[in-house]
Amino acid sequence: MSSPADDPLPEAPLPPAAQPARGPIAVPSPGIEQALERLARELLQERRLERRWRSTIRLAWLVLVIGVLWTVFAQRTHHAGPNGPHTALVDVRGEIAPDSEASAEQLIAALRQAFEDNGAQAIVLRINSPGGSPVQAGIVNDEIRRLKAKHQKKVYAVVEEMCASGAYYIAVAADEIFVDKASLVGSIGVLMDGFGVAGLMDKLGVERRLLTAGENKGMLDPFSPQNERHKAYAQAMIDQIHRQFIAVVKDGRGKRLKDGPDVFSGLFWNGEEAVKLGLADRFGNLDSVARDVIKAEEVIDYTPRDNVAERLAKRFGAAVGEGAVRALGFGGRLR
């Protein structure tokens, strides 16, 4: 039997202020839970769509890059394999100048490839050019003559709208020149153009201050009065180039060229008159020459062309490459 001292003391009740506060527990309503769940699903779906769209863009750029590489490779290997009997075509279009489509570098590369192809029965120069650099034209003329002697193949020039000046310089290296009745042919001459504004500068009160080391260094300066001695020197120089041009034309055309006071005057004629003067041989076009003269109707073009990558680069510049880098996720900027 326990004594009162052994019994545990009863716990004293806590004062009202010390007791934990109890109240209703906030439970989200079913409507709020559904809205949050729907929002989470939409965010997740948006993330998935964004990743899918980014992957699609990357794939598109990858396909574009592969397409460009394939185009470049296909273009460079177009004439690599053996070809059957055919007519080899090389276009001479636009101004004959360095860094142009009708530069000596471009044309000679195409000509060498055409001459070296065993399937090429002959080479056709399809010309539509107003001329250009006598240096570039002379280089092409010399190379055509060399390749003809080496490979024993004929070269025919076919004129479309125009074959003038430096373009005719190239054409006379061909064995025959074909024209249309309305083609423009000739302009066997040389020019050196410029302008002079010394009088206008005097009226405006503008003084030209030109310092040179060498008494002729400022020759033909457009802002200075014309010097008669310099003018005579320049005239003698272009006269000499003109004589070189005439010698090349006479050598190329031989006895077919008719004598006339205007033939080497810089005038040009239509195709009908060009044939009469011996500047051209007969009428024809690419198809008729390939079919009736060369006897090889299949025509293979050896002319260098801009590939897809070069055209894109010229039109859009570095922006295309920058867009590709960004879409592929590399980040940063092209520098």
Side-chain angles (χ1 to χ4, degrees):
M1 189 172 177
S2 61
S3 63
D6 297 330
D7 293 334
L9 296 174
E11 294 181 0
L14 294 173
Q19 292 183 2
R22 294 184 179 181
I25 299 175
V27 178
S29 66
I32 296 177
E33 287 184 349
Q34 293 176 359
L36 291 174
E37 185 178 353
R38 184 170 61 254
L39 179 61
R41 283 199 305 269
E42 290 176 356
L43 288 173
L44 182 60
Q45 184 177 7
E46 185 177 348
R47 282 293 184 87
R48 288 175 178 172
L49 289 174
E50 184 180 352
R51 285 197 299 269
R52 196 173 301 167
W53 176 247
R54 191 179 300 139
S55 299
T56 303
I57 292 294
R58 290 177 180 176
L59 180 61
W61 278 109
L62 182 61
V63 170
L64 177 62
V65 170
I66 292 173
V68 168
L69 294 176
W70 181 85
T71 302
V72 173
F73 178 78
Q75 179 181 356
R76 294 196 175 185
T77 59
H78 179 67
H79 303 297
N83 296 308
H86 63 272
T87 295
L89 171 66
V90 176
D91 272 325
V92 182
R93 291 189 177 276
E95 183 185 6
I96 301 166
D99 301 323
S100 72
E101 291 186 10
S103 69
E105 181 182 9
Q106 295 271 47
L107 293 177
I108 288 175
L111 286 166
R112 288 176 180 172
Q113 195 174 19
F115 271 100
E116 291 168 2
D117 193 325
N118 293 329
Q121 305 302 295
I123 290 84
V124 170
L125 297 170
R126 184 169 58 185
I127 301 175
N128 187 11
S129 169
S133 165
V135 175
Q136 297 288 305
I139 293 172
V140 177
N141 181 291
D142 291 343
E143 185 65 9
I144 291 173
R145 293 172 182 271
R146 187 189 74 83
L147 291 170
K148 282 169 58 178
K150 179 180 178 181
H151 297 279
Q152 296 299 309
K153 291 183 179 181
K154 295 280 189 179
V155 176
Y156 301 98
V158 174
V159 179
E160 291 189 331
E161 279 79 12
M162 181 178 294
C163 178
S165 194
Y168 191 72
Y169 198 123
I170 292 175
V172 295
D175 294 280
E176 287 189 84
I177 299 176
F178 293 81
V179 296
D180 183 84
K181 295 186 292 295
S183 300
L184 296 180
V185 182
S187 188
I188 303 170
V190 183
L191 65 82
M192 179 183 291
D193 58 350
F195 59 91
V197 294
L200 177 62
M201 292 172 62
D202 290 339
K203 291 180 180 180
L204 295 176
V206 178
E207 180 185 1
R208 170 66 164 165
R209 295 174 179 174
L210 176 65
L211 302 177
T212 64
E215 60 178 329
N216 297 311
K217 188 61 179 177
M219 177 178 169
L220 302 181
D221 174 56
F223 301 101
S224 300
Q226 184 168 261
N227 183 303
E228 291 301 323
R229 186 167 63 88
H230 290 167
K231 177 183 175 182
Y233 181 87
Q235 186 63 54
M237 183 172 60
I238 63 174
D239 285 343
Q240 186 178 27
I241 297 173
H242 189 205
R243 288 193 294 272
Q244 296 168 359
F245 193 173
I246 292 172
V248 169
V249 172
K250 287 183 174 180
D251 185 44
R253 299 301 297 164
K255 295 181 179 180
R256 293 171 291 183
L257 192 64
K258 305 296 189 295
D259 291 329
D262 295 329
V263 171
F264 302 117
S265 68
L267 286 177
F268 53 87
W269 296 267
N270 62 33
E272 186 174 358
E273 291 299 318
V275 171
K276 293 178 182 178
L277 290 170
L279 294 171
D281 294 287
R282 38 185 169 152
F283 303 124
N285 54 48
L286 173 61
D287 292 333
S288 66
V289 171
R291 180 184 63 247
D292 302 328
V293 180
I294 302 174
K295 309 295 184 183
E297 291 191 50
E298 182 184 2
V299 177
I300 294 182
D301 191 354
Y302 289 77
T303 312
R305 306 289 185 189
D306 284 350
N307 56 45
V308 175
E310 289 170 341
R311 287 198 295 269
L312 287 174
K314 288 178 181 178
R315 180 170 296 183
F316 300 111
V320 172
E322 186 174 355
V325 169
R326 287 180 176 176
L328 290 170
F330 297 120
R333 290 181 176 272
L334 295 177
R335 298 184 183 275

